[in-house]
Amino acid sequence: MANKIQWVRTLSEVLGRNTEVKKFTSKKGTEYETECVPQLDAIVVGTPTEKKDETGAVAGYSYQVYDRKLDATFSISAPNFLEGVSFKGVAFIDVRGGALEHKSEGWFSASKVAFLQQKQQQ
């Protein structure tokens, strides 16, 4: 059977930022390498929503963001919750992402999220 042609852009092409390859560990404990954006600054639009795993436990939070550089909105998930984040600048650390099957949108995930002023003080 013939292979299907796929049109997939890299993370750096999608987000318009430089990336670097880093090692991560999956939820199942498997170590893998992938490209990531070390820090993506954005404005959170609205309140983060809980993401639950298959047991119903909170597994992280989804942030709807506006990216000034791209003039675009999208969601990024992160493991931590920021209180009072609506319409504030935040930094998402080690952003990864990819295409979603049968959708024109993609997924994005970060290792953590912090208020911009907190990130600059650390």
Side-chain angles (χ1 to χ4, degrees):
M1 180 175 243
N3 291 323
K4 290 184 180 183
I5 294 175
Q6 295 184 347
W7 293 73
V8 179
R9 297 187 312 168
T10 65
L11 185 64
S12 61
E13 291 171 322
V14 171
L15 292 178
R17 291 169 171 84
N18 293 330
T19 60
E20 54 188 51
V21 176
K22 285 190 174 182
K23 286 185 180 182
F24 297 95
T25 304
S26 72
K27 293 175 186 172
K28 295 180 181 179
T30 306
E31 199 171 273
Y32 65 97
E33 280 188 352
T34 192
E35 70 173 324
C36 70
V37 174
Q39 179 175 327
L40 188 141
D41 297 344
I43 298 169
V44 175
V45 182
T47 304
T49 57
E50 289 182 350
K51 293 182 74 171
K52 298 190 178 192
D53 64 14
E54 52 280 342
T55 67
V58 176
Y61 299 88
S62 180
Y63 293 82
Q64 188 69 25
V65 301
Y66 173 72
D67 183 339
R68 288 182 188 165
K69 182 174 182 171
L70 297 175
D71 189 24
T73 60
F74 51 94
S75 285
I76 300 180
S77 61
N80 59 312
F81 178 79
L82 293 180
E83 186 74 41
V85 72
S86 187
F87 298 103
K88 298 220 171 102
V90 297
F92 289 93
I93 307 303
D94 291 338
V95 176
R96 298 151 326 261
L100 289 172
E101 195 172 332
H102 307 296
K103 289 189 177 183
S104 61
E105 300 170 8
W107 63 270
F108 299 99
S109 179
S111 294
K112 72 176 186 175
V113 60
F115 286 106
L116 277 174
Q117 57 271 33
Q118 288 178 343
K119 174 70 176 89
Q120 292 168 352
Q121 292 173 357
Q122 292 176 349

